[in-house]
Amino acid sequence: MWLGPEEVLLAGALWVTERANPFFLLQRRRGHGKGGGLTGLLVGTLDVVLDSSARVAPYRILHQTQDSQVYWAVACGSSRKEITKHWEWLENNLLQTLSIFDNEEDITTFVKGKIHGIIAEENKNEQPQSEEDPGKFKEAELKMRKQFGMPEVEKLVNYYSCSYWKGRVPRQGWLYLTVNHLCFYSFLLGKEVTLVIQWVDVTQLEKNATLLFPECIKVSTRDSELYFSMFLNINETFKLMEQLANIAMRQLLDNESFLQDKSLPKPRKPLKNISALKRDLDARAKNECYRATFRLPKDECLDGHTDCTLWTPFNKMHIPGQMFVSNNYICFASKAEEACHLIIPLREVTIVEKADSSSVLPSPLSISTKSKMTFFFANLKDRDFLVQRISDFLQRTPSKKPCSSDREWKWNLADPGCELPSSSPLAVSPTSALSNQPGNFCAGEVPTASQGLLKLFRRNSEELLGSKGAKEKMKEESWNIHFFEYGRGMCMYRTAKTRELVQKGIPENLRGELWLLFSGAWNEMVTHPGYYADLVEKSMGKYNLATEEIERDLHRSMPEHPAFQNELGIAALRRVLTAYAFRNPTIGYCQAMNIVTSVLLLYCNEEEAFWLLVALCERMLPDYYNTRVVGALVDQGIFEELTREYLPQLSEKMQDLGVISTISLSWFLTLFLSVMPFESAVVIVDCFFYEGIKFILQVSLAILDANMEKLLQCCDEGEAMTILGRYLDNVVNRQSVSPPIPHLHALLTSGDDPPLEIDIFELIKTSYEKFSNLKADDIEQMRFKQRLKVIQSLEDTAKKSVVRAVSGDIGFSIEELEELYVVFKAKYLMSCYWGNNRAAAARRDQSLPYLEQYRIDMEQFKELFISLTPWSCGAHTPVLAGRLFRLLDENRDSLINFKEFVTGMSGMYHGDLTEKLKVLYKLHLPPALNPEETESALEATSYFTEDVTTEGNATLLMIFAGTAFTFSANHLTVVACSYLAEEKGTSPQDYRYYLRMWAKEKESKKETIKDLPKMSQEQFIELCKTLYNMFSEDPVEQELYHAIATVASLLLRIGEVGKKFSNKPMRKSEDYKANSTQDPVSEEESPTSEQSQNSAVEQQPQADHEDKTCGDAQPEKTQQENQTLGDVSGEGQGSPLQLLSDDETKDDMSMSSYSMVSTGSLQCEDIADDTVLVGCEGSSSAARYGSTIDTDWSISFEQILASMLTETALVNYFEKKVDILQKIKDQKKVERQFSSSSDYELSSVSG
């Protein structure tokens, strides 16, 4: 590229001059290109270690004048081609002009001005899309693309200096982290190391320190373990690697590719050497942490955060912490964990004002809300800027009617005997349901699911007035006092006191309200008014797989509870689950969702239950309810890891028994609701909504700890499951005011001993005492590690399933199929992140079988075909690949799956000569052959233009006819003998006939060579072109050219003579045609008809031959059956074959090999004057080929096969074994040459 002229003092140091003229020098840096000796090695090493090559290109052009010692760098280039282009431009456009100047200063001034002008013109035309990236970073990105052959769409995120440990020797170099790859390059004294790893192939990332390696990062793939160390900032590097690997796992999981956030605000100060992508990923990490901490909606983006203090009226203190500001919320988190958390939705804010500063309270800020609460922040560093940002966000907040939160919360405190009227937008209960409802409603109230079902179906009992009722009232009073001191609603101060109250159990009247608050579901509900009602309306009457599964599970959802023993509860559950399935079709519906949702509906109305389900599935339990329950498997892995850490004695025993994988899924997926009595499990749900998955894990550990002694004595999995099941069945809630609900889980007892009851609150207390040091941040870190392991394990399972599904029909071994699957999947994944408009990237459906999930299009198939095919045809290879793709794409959706891909590959690699030729033959017939491709055959016929006498023509035909007849007769004899043998059997003929019909219905008929249609002249010429290209650069190419020339000449004559025979008795063939097509079923199926046909071959060959007259008009089966019979017609009366002895045949066979092929590599396009092909002229016509295509000419597969068999070179070529594993290995090693408009090959670790 052109450079703004820079002064260079030492033009010769470390550079070699390659070209020179009076005004310019073209120089190459030592250590680049060939040669260079020791000096070159040293320079190359310095460039890598010191990263000078990121700033110094290997080629440059200097401007100089004769008397001056000062040089000016005007251009540089990463390749010789680039720098030569600039050099030629200078010579052609400037040299003549510069020779006119007398003054050297004027020459230099003119050159500098001209170069500046060129740069300005180029910058004007360039799109300023990546101007945010600093200059040095852009240079490093260019170097990365050149070094590793990456396309422009592959973006560099960051690069680091580090050492890669190859064996016990550290290789100092540069680690490049791109969106999709980890790359490393090192060059030390002539030894080069190049690594390219896809993030989707990474199975483990660890940061550790060992005796052998200092503090280092270990990157594991299925094949290798790589160690990188000596980072300046290892924590930053590791965190970025985790993010990129996580994005790759997300791509494998749900096909989400990385999209850069273009809406990121520009930094207030320019950031040195930090790319826009790195800023984007840093912002994503902060956003995820911010949303998880405060349970905010998934689209909330953090704008900034600052240190401050918050005045807390409940203890009259200024608590230090951080304020976070985003589009819709102001949040506060204290530095001391759980001292105080605060969430202020901007929709609630009425006033934001700056208060007067004082020495005690510097830079205070007051924020007032609609609920009459005022929050005082102080010690704000940049208060004016913060107020301006909050004001900007407030202006964007849509103005709404006064918040109805007060009204919404009141129903929870109403007298349980008389509920308030429905506020739901849905009238969901049919009047017919009234007759089934309990009779304890207020007069005139319509029983609907617009309030918690527990209220509608509560059985009032005297216990409410007893000790349980009194305790429930005390709980409610404690919460009312808490609301008075700490606030109520979304703006409540959340402290350790709040957690203590939750651990003691939430009162039933407040449960729905607090679940909505703690989960963050309330925020999403009030910001999406009417969303649920619209979803219900849209999903009404719609049916799909999810709705079928929902219907099947509706009556299995808490059937023991009266709320779900009638249509009201069932209908509400159906609407909520169906609405969610339509909101999130990726998840749709998963078993266990029905159990959780039914519990939500007991305490919340439909809309609230829907938004709680959204919070559960999409934020609190991510990926739990997808088709492969990945999230639950991830947390199961965390549970195993925590068991090893906290219960090491039990861990090994549990692994041996295989219990953890069994128990954890049922515990986690249903939040213990399916394994514990309802009254107890709902207290677990209370704590879960406040604490998250951390609480589920610590309770699970407490359960294992409580049963440790018994579990250590278990002999098998069943015994361990019985112990845990008995324990969980007897976890009771003695404070519950609801009548006990029978627990469907079998009550397991041992002998006559009464079961020991465990109080749920004691279990929760124990879990906090023993395992409360679990941290949410640590769990998220562990989730990442386990997600890598789980998703890669699922991918391995998918690979084995696919390979097992296709291995029975394919000639490849299991190892070969697995390697092909890896290559196939890599090609698909590249379309996701490098192919912007690829249909394949958008059509991966997780609900499909594994075999159908990865599909590639024609362009991707061509690239795989070119690198893997044993039939390399040079420039003709992409054409052949396109034909094979069309042949394999049976459903015509322009995509093929793995089975179709390996079927095509297997046809070329496996089978005998006949099978391989059959594949090649099909590639030159529709649908593989496009009509446009055969147009070139008109021109190609001009290649076959040599005059040959009629006698020679006939002789060749006679030779071929003998060969064809021998082949056909043998084949027919076998068939006839088999049928005669059948007739001698004792079983009835009609019995065999129906058995065969049944077998044909059950199994797809194996294609035989008789089923192949004939090939026209233009198709045959295309086949010849393919064969000529295929043999190019083969070690025995001259023999192959000689053989194919012989065969092509022979077949052209055969087709010509066959045409003359088929044109004789038209009427006779028409009569036979009518008879043969009258009953096609009997002709195909009946053994009698087949036998009679075979005998007819022996008795009436001439008549059989005449059938070919109207072959095109006959049904396909008839034509295929008769096609061989026509080949045998040389045996009829007057056949030239009868005039020749065996010796004469042999002589003529040797004569038929007459052919001359020009020396050198012969392409199909080269076949012209220097190639002689024998046999191009019809015996009765003097007109030559070349002007038009003969539409009556045709040739059969059997004739081609028989001709090929006469040539040893051709037989050897097609029966030659090729190792596809070596092809795959070579493909990975090959130097990758990319262009921005094509897909790209990935290399494995090399160097």
Side-chain angles (χ1 to χ4, degrees):
M1 61 181 178
W2 298 106
L3 301 174
E6 299 174 359
E7 193 170 329
V8 178
L9 296 177
L10 295 170
L14 306 182
W15 293 86
V16 178
T17 300
E18 294 196 336
R19 293 191 190 181
N21 61 41
F23 304 105
F24 298 101
L25 298 174
L26 190 156
Q27 295 187 327
R28 172 178 56 82
R29 190 165 179 81
R30 294 182 189 275
H32 292 273
K34 295 180 180 179
L38 181 60
T39 309
L41 290 178
L42 290 171
V43 173
T45 301
L46 284 172
D47 282 348
V48 171
V49 174
L50 303 178
D51 193 30
S52 57
S53 58
R55 298 182 294 276
V56 180
Y59 298 94
R60 69 179 182 182
I61 297 176
L62 303 180
H63 164 64
Q64 65 154 5
T65 50
Q66 291 179 352
D67 298 332
S68 173
Q69 296 300 314
V70 178
Y71 296 83
W72 299 87
V74 296
C76 69
S78 58
S79 66
R80 188 179 296 275
K81 182 179 178 182
E82 180 185 1
I83 204 69
T84 303
K85 182 180 175 184
H86 290 334
W87 178 264
E88 289 174 351
W89 188 92
L90 291 171
E91 284 192 326
N92 296 333
N93 294 277
L94 285 190
L95 278 188
Q96 192 172 355
T97 307
L98 295 178
S99 60
I100 301 172
F101 288 94
D102 296 329
N103 189 340
E104 292 185 354
E105 290 184 8
D106 293 342
I107 293 175
T108 302
T109 304
F110 179 81
V111 169
K112 290 164 70 175
K114 191 69 177 176
I115 299 300
H116 280 302
I118 294 171
I119 294 172
E121 187 66 27
E122 285 183 349
N123 290 342
K124 186 172 69 176
N125 296 331
E126 283 183 1
Q127 294 181 351
Q129 54 186 5
S130 57
E131 283 185 357
E132 295 180 12
D133 292 343
K136 184 180 177 183
F137 185 86
K138 287 182 185 176
E139 290 168 359
E141 187 170 43
L142 285 172
K143 178 192 172 187
M144 177 274 297
R145 290 203 185 114
K146 175 177 177 287
Q147 192 68 57
F148 303 103
M150 299 290 176
E152 287 189 15
V153 291
E154 182 69 355
K155 300 294 184 183
L156 178 65
V157 180
N158 213 348
Y159 63 106
Y160 302 93
S161 172
C162 70
S163 290
Y164 161 61
W165 291 80
K166 191 170 184 182
R168 298 195 177 189
V169 180
R171 302 274 186 168
Q172 184 65 27
W174 289 87
L175 182 72
Y176 297 88
L177 304 181
T178 73
V179 173
N180 301 297
H181 296 88
L182 176 152
C183 308
F184 177 82
Y185 179 75
S186 171
F187 180 87
L188 289 175
L189 300 177
K191 292 191 176 180
E192 190 175 53
V193 176
T194 304
L195 303 176
V196 179
I197 305 291
Q198 286 189 92
W199 289 119
V200 291
D201 290 334
V202 173
T203 57
Q204 192 175 15
L205 274 178
E206 285 184 302
K207 184 177 65 175
N208 52 26
T210 64
L211 291 174
L212 180 60
F213 304 111
E215 191 176 29
C216 66
I217 295 174
K218 175 185 171 185
V219 181
S220 301
T221 67
R222 291 177 179 83
D223 307 318
S224 59
E225 293 181 349
L226 311 173
Y227 293 88
F228 300 93
S229 66
M230 301 184 190
F231 291 94
L232 290 175
N233 190 341
I234 192 168
N235 292 325
E236 178 196 328
T237 309
F238 185 70
K239 186 178 176 183
L240 180 57
M241 291 167 82
E242 279 189 329
Q243 279 185 283
L244 293 168
N246 213 12
I247 290 169
M249 292 306 106
R250 179 59 53 189
Q251 181 183 332
L252 283 176
L253 182 60
D254 52 22
N255 212 31
E256 282 184 13
S257 56
F258 177 79
L259 294 174
Q260 186 177 351
D261 185 2
K262 302 291 185 183
S263 62
L264 271 182
K266 291 189 176 181
R268 297 169 68 186
K269 297 178 182 178
L271 301 172
K272 187 178 180 183
N273 295 335
I274 296 181
S275 67
L277 270 177
K278 177 71 167 62
R279 286 181 48 235
D280 183 356
L281 287 169
D282 289 344
R284 286 178 190 229
K286 289 177 182 176
N287 287 338
E288 286 170 9
C289 182
Y290 170 62
R291 289 192 293 258
T293 303
F294 299 104
R295 304 274 171 80
L296 299 178
K298 291 181 76 174
D299 56 354
E300 195 65 21
C301 294
L302 179 65
D303 186 71
H305 58 90
T306 182
D307 290 335
C308 66
T309 58
L310 171 67
W311 169 255
T312 50
F314 51 85
N315 58 3
K316 296 181 173 50
M317 289 178 61
H318 289 282
I319 298 180
Q322 282 192 318
M323 176 194 282
F324 301 84
V325 179
S326 61
N327 306 17
N328 302 294
Y329 298 89
I330 300 170
C331 301
F332 174 85
S334 59
K335 290 187 177 177
E337 190 179 4
E338 292 189 355
C340 182
H341 270 210
L342 178 65
I343 303 169
I344 309 172
L346 290 181
R347 62 178 182 272
E348 296 283 333
V349 173
T350 54
I351 300 172
V352 178
E353 59 182 352
K354 294 181 279 188
D356 294 334
S357 293
S358 66
S359 58
V360 179
L361 210 61
S363 303
L365 180 67
S366 167
I367 298 176
S368 302
T369 67
K370 294 173 183 176
S371 55
K372 312 300 181 189
M373 293 181 73
T374 303
F375 303 95
F376 289 101
F377 297 91
N379 293 289
L380 293 161
K381 292 180 182 177
D382 198 347
R383 184 177 63 168
D384 293 340
F385 176 74
L386 179 64
V387 170
Q388 183 60 48
R389 292 300 292 166
I390 294 174
S391 300
D392 292 342
F393 288 133
L394 280 171
Q395 288 175 2
R396 298 176 203 164
T397 304
S399 59
K400 295 181 179 177
K401 296 177 183 177
C403 183
S404 58
S405 59
D406 292 339
R407 177 172 58 80
E408 292 291 341
W409 299 133
K410 282 177 185 173
W411 68 261
N412 289 291
L413 297 176
D415 181 2
C418 183
E419 279 75 21
L420 295 174
S422 166
S423 60
S424 170
L426 295 169
V428 292
S429 178
T431 55
S432 60
L434 285 170
S435 58
N436 297 325
Q437 306 308 320
N440 60 342
F441 303 112
C442 296
E445 182 182 1
V446 179
T448 70
S450 58
Q451 45 205 329
L453 292 173
L454 199 63
K455 294 186 176 183
L456 297 178
F457 294 92
R458 173 172 290 156
R459 299 169 181 171
N460 292 328
S461 63
E462 294 180 0
E463 282 190 352
L464 284 174
L465 304 175
S467 60
K468 288 187 178 180
K471 199 148 193 172
E472 185 76 1
K473 289 290 183 185
M474 286 176 61
K475 280 186 186 178
E476 287 186 16
E477 190 59 32
S478 298
W479 276 98
N480 287 332
I481 294 170
H482 185 79
F483 292 149
F484 180 78
E485 291 184 3
Y486 294 84
R488 185 169 187 176
M490 191 53 66
C491 300
M492 176 200 304
Y493 292 98
R494 305 176 195 208
T495 66
K497 175 73 172 172
T498 315
R499 191 183 73 177
E500 288 174 19
L501 284 175
V502 172
Q503 289 173 29
K504 293 175 183 177
I506 298 175
E508 288 195 349
N509 284 331
L510 296 176
R511 194 160 262 147
E513 170 189 345
L514 293 176
W515 282 1
L516 286 163
L517 277 183
F518 297 147
S519 67
W522 177 251
N523 283 322
E524 293 189 277
M525 188 172 75
V526 297
T527 53
H528 295 84
Y531 178 84
Y532 172 69
D534 291 342
L535 265 183
V536 170
E537 187 178 345
K538 288 176 185 175
S539 61
M540 283 290 188
K542 302 284 178 63
Y543 297 97
N544 54 30
L545 181 62
T547 57
E548 287 178 18
E549 292 176 343
I550 289 168
E551 287 299 324
R552 188 175 63 239
D553 286 349
L554 282 176
H555 295 278
R556 304 176 190 171
S557 309
M558 294 190 69
E560 67 275 16
H561 198 286
F564 298 100
Q565 293 170 356
N566 69 91
E567 185 54 34
L568 177 63
I570 295 294
L573 183 59
R574 177 188 293 116
R575 282 189 293 271
V576 173
L577 290 173
T578 306
Y580 187 77
F582 275 80
R583 166 189 165 88
N584 191 344
T586 305
I587 292 177
Y589 170 77
C590 174
Q591 282 188 334
M593 285 170 69
N594 59 321
I595 296 172
V596 175
T597 309
S598 59
V599 174
L600 300 179
L601 280 167
L602 291 176
Y603 298 99
C604 307
N605 67 38
E606 275 187 44
E607 186 175 15
E608 292 164 347
F610 170 79
W611 286 110
L612 275 170
L613 184 62
V614 170
L616 268 175
C617 295
E618 298 176 13
R619 289 189 284 107
M620 300 190 73
L621 298 175
D623 303 320
Y624 259 60
Y625 300 105
N626 58 24
T627 51
R628 298 190 277 183
V629 291
V630 171
L633 292 172
V634 167
D635 286 348
Q636 174 186 301
I638 294 174
F639 184 42
E640 290 179 10
E641 199 172 328
L642 292 173
T643 306
R644 281 194 296 273
E645 182 179 345
Y646 289 98
L647 307 171
Q649 288 179 307
L650 186 59
S651 173
E652 190 173 342
K653 181 73 173 179
M654 296 292 279
Q655 288 294 332
D656 293 341
L657 296 175
V659 173
I660 288 184
S661 59
T662 308
I663 60 174
S664 54
L665 281 181
S666 58
W667 293 2
F668 297 165
L669 279 169
T670 64
L671 304 175
F672 288 94
L673 288 165
S674 64
V675 295
M676 199 180 277
F678 170 74
E679 300 82 7
S680 305
V682 80
V683 181
I684 299 279
V685 178
D686 290 343
C687 297
F688 166 73
F689 277 124
Y690 188 81
E691 295 273 17
I693 192 63
K694 163 184 176 291
F695 177 76
I696 300 294
L697 290 167
Q698 73 183 37
V699 166
S700 300
L701 288 170
I703 292 169
L704 291 186
D705 184 54
N707 292 278
M708 184 185 293
E709 290 184 9
K710 294 179 181 177
L711 289 172
L712 286 173
Q713 296 171 6
C714 288
C715 300
D716 55 35
E717 181 185 0
E719 188 180 350
M721 293 296 295
T722 302
I723 290 168
L724 292 170
R726 184 187 303 120
Y727 180 87
L728 290 170
D729 275 336
N730 293 288
V731 176
V732 296
N733 179 3
R734 299 187 180 94
Q735 300 177 14
S736 175
V737 294
S738 297
I741 298 170
H743 184 40
L744 288 187
H745 198 274
L747 187 61
L748 303 166
T749 57
S750 58
D752 298 327
D753 297 335
L756 179 66
E757 289 188 343
I758 303 97
D759 186 74
I760 181 63
F761 298 105
E762 284 298 319
L763 177 62
I764 290 172
K765 182 181 176 183
T766 303
S767 76
Y768 275 102
E769 287 173 353
K770 291 190 175 182
F771 308 107
S772 62
N773 55 348
L774 282 178
K775 305 295 181 197
D777 291 344
D778 295 339
I779 290 173
E780 281 306 311
Q781 184 68 30
M782 294 164 77
R783 269 182 168 173
F784 162 75
K785 180 181 174 183
Q786 293 296 330
R787 192 177 295 118
L788 278 182
K789 191 182 295 183
V790 167
I791 293 179
Q792 295 293 14
S793 174
L794 288 171
E795 289 296 309
D796 289 342
T797 303
K799 178 172 73 173
K800 289 175 183 174
S801 299
V802 170
V803 167
R804 191 164 54 246
V806 303
S807 59
D809 306 325
I810 305 297
F812 292 115
S813 67
I814 296 295
E815 182 188 2
E816 290 170 337
L817 285 171
E818 288 182 348
E819 287 295 323
L820 283 170
Y821 181 81
V822 170
V823 172
F824 184 86
K825 177 180 152 188
K827 184 60 67 177
Y828 166 82
L829 290 174
M830 279 189 290
S831 74
C832 294
Y833 51 72
W834 284 347
N836 296 327
N837 300 314
R838 286 285 164 81
R843 294 190 188 178
R844 185 184 176 200
D845 186 352
Q846 294 279 356
S847 64
L848 290 173
Y850 288 134
L851 188 59
E852 292 289 335
Q853 286 189 17
Y854 295 123
R855 295 183 293 169
I856 60 175
D857 60 20
M858 183 180 285
E859 289 305 313
Q860 295 166 302
F861 177 78
K862 282 183 179 179
E863 288 151 17
L864 285 177
F865 182 90
I866 290 169
S867 59
L868 298 177
T869 180
W871 297 344
S872 180
C873 301
H876 193 64
T877 307
V879 177
L880 202 63
R883 291 175 187 168
L884 183 56
F885 183 88
R886 287 190 290 273
L887 185 66
L888 297 173
D889 183 21
E890 293 180 1
N891 59 358
R892 301 287 175 266
D893 64 348
S894 300
L895 296 169
I896 63 170
N897 62 28
F898 179 68
K899 183 172 184 179
E900 292 165 334
F901 169 71
V902 292
T903 300
M905 287 288 121
S906 181
M908 295 183 289
Y909 275 92
H910 298 286
D912 55 14
L913 171 70
T914 306
E915 293 301 316
K916 292 179 180 177
L917 283 179
K918 193 192 294 183
V919 173
L920 198 58
Y921 186 83
K922 286 182 186 176
L923 294 182
H924 297 83
L925 296 173
L929 190 70
N930 270 341
E932 295 82 10
E933 291 180 322
T934 57
E935 291 176 4
S936 62
L938 282 168
E939 302 169 10
T941 51
S942 61
Y943 298 144
F944 309 103
T945 56
E946 289 303 309
D947 285 326
V948 180
T949 63
T950 304
E951 291 80 355
N953 215 350
T955 303
L956 288 171
L957 172 63
M958 285 183 273
I959 294 163
F960 176 73
T963 312
F965 174 71
T966 304
F967 175 84
S968 303
N970 289 339
H971 178 73
L972 292 172
T973 303
V974 172
V975 175
C977 289
S978 64
Y979 286 135
L980 287 170
E982 276 187 11
E983 276 211 358
K984 291 176 183 177
T986 55
S987 57
Q989 183 176 326
D990 56 342
Y991 180 68
R992 291 197 310 272
Y993 167 67
Y994 287 114
L995 270 180
R996 272 212 316 281
M997 284 187 67
W998 176 79
K1000 284 189 178 182
E1001 288 175 4
K1002 291 292 180 187
E1003 294 180 10
S1004 57
K1005 182 184 174 186
K1006 187 160 183 179
E1007 188 180 55
T1008 66
I1009 55 176
K1010 286 182 173 295
D1011 297 327
L1012 296 172
K1014 288 200 169 190
M1015 182 178 276
S1016 68
Q1017 191 178 72
E1018 51 194 5
Q1019 293 163 353
F1020 174 69
I1021 293 169
E1022 285 294 327
L1023 175 61
C1024 290
K1025 287 173 65 176
T1026 300
L1027 289 168
Y1028 272 102
N1029 282 295
M1030 193 183 292
F1031 302 148
S1032 175
E1033 298 181 10
D1034 192 273
V1036 291
E1037 67 173 337
Q1038 291 304 318
E1039 291 180 37
L1040 290 168
Y1041 283 149
H1042 187 278
I1044 196 57
T1046 304
V1047 170
S1049 305
L1050 187 60
L1051 290 170
L1052 280 169
R1053 288 175 177 271
I1054 295 305
E1056 190 65 24
V1057 176
K1059 180 182 71 172
K1060 292 171 69 176
F1061 276 103
S1062 65
N1063 282 338
K1064 284 183 182 178
M1066 293 290 290
R1067 184 171 300 179
K1068 200 169 182 181
S1069 68
E1070 286 172 7
D1071 294 340
Y1072 184 83
K1073 171 192 165 186
N1075 294 330
S1076 63
T1077 56
Q1078 190 172 7
D1079 190 3
V1081 176
S1082 62
E1083 182 177 284
E1084 288 182 24
E1085 306 295 346
S1086 170
T1088 309
S1089 64
E1090 290 185 21
Q1091 185 181 347
S1092 62
Q1093 286 176 13
N1094 292 334
S1095 60
V1097 171
E1098 299 168 5
Q1099 295 171 8
Q1100 297 176 339
Q1102 184 64 36
D1104 287 341
H1105 174 73
E1106 291 164 3
D1107 294 341
K1108 295 175 63 178
T1109 311
C1110 300
D1112 293 338
Q1114 288 180 348
E1116 186 179 344
K1117 177 70 183 176
T1118 307
Q1119 181 184 4
Q1120 290 166 354
E1121 286 178 347
N1122 292 337
Q1123 131 184 340
T1124 307
L1125 309 183
D1127 300 338
V1128 187
S1129 61
E1131 226 186 64
Q1133 187 177 0
S1135 169
L1137 186 62
Q1138 297 175 346
L1139 306 177
L1140 283 175
S1141 67
D1142 289 344
D1143 293 333
E1144 288 171 306
T1145 305
K1146 289 177 185 175
D1147 293 341
D1148 281 324
M1149 181 65 77
S1150 61
M1151 284 172 55
S1152 70
S1153 299
Y1154 161 65
S1155 172
M1156 291 181 290
V1157 182
S1158 63
T1159 56
S1161 177
L1162 179 64
Q1163 298 294 331
C1164 180
E1165 290 75 7
D1166 301 329
I1167 309 170
D1169 299 335
D1170 54 356
T1171 305
V1172 179
L1173 298 179
V1174 182
C1176 306
E1177 193 172 0
S1179 58
S1180 64
S1181 174
R1184 295 154 75 97
Y1185 275 85
S1187 57
T1188 58
I1189 290 294
D1190 192 338
T1191 55
D1192 294 329
W1193 189 98
S1194 64
I1195 201 84
S1196 71
F1197 174 73
E1198 290 169 293
Q1199 292 168 328
I1200 292 176
L1201 174 62
S1203 301
M1204 291 276 198
L1205 288 170
T1206 64
E1207 295 291 340
T1208 307
L1210 295 177
V1211 173
N1212 292 340
Y1213 179 85
F1214 284 104
E1215 290 189 345
K1216 180 173 57 180
K1217 299 293 182 185
V1218 181
D1219 183 7
I1220 195 165
L1221 291 177
Q1222 188 59 44
K1223 284 267 186 185
I1224 294 172
K1225 198 173 178 182
D1226 293 343
Q1227 181 218 14
K1228 291 178 179 179
K1229 284 183 178 178
V1230 75
E1231 183 180 0
R1232 291 159 297 145
Q1233 298 293 334
F1234 297 133
S1235 65
S1236 59
S1237 62
S1238 64
D1239 274 334
Y1240 314 94
E1241 294 299 337
L1242 297 176
S1243 84
S1244 61
V1245 179
S1246 64

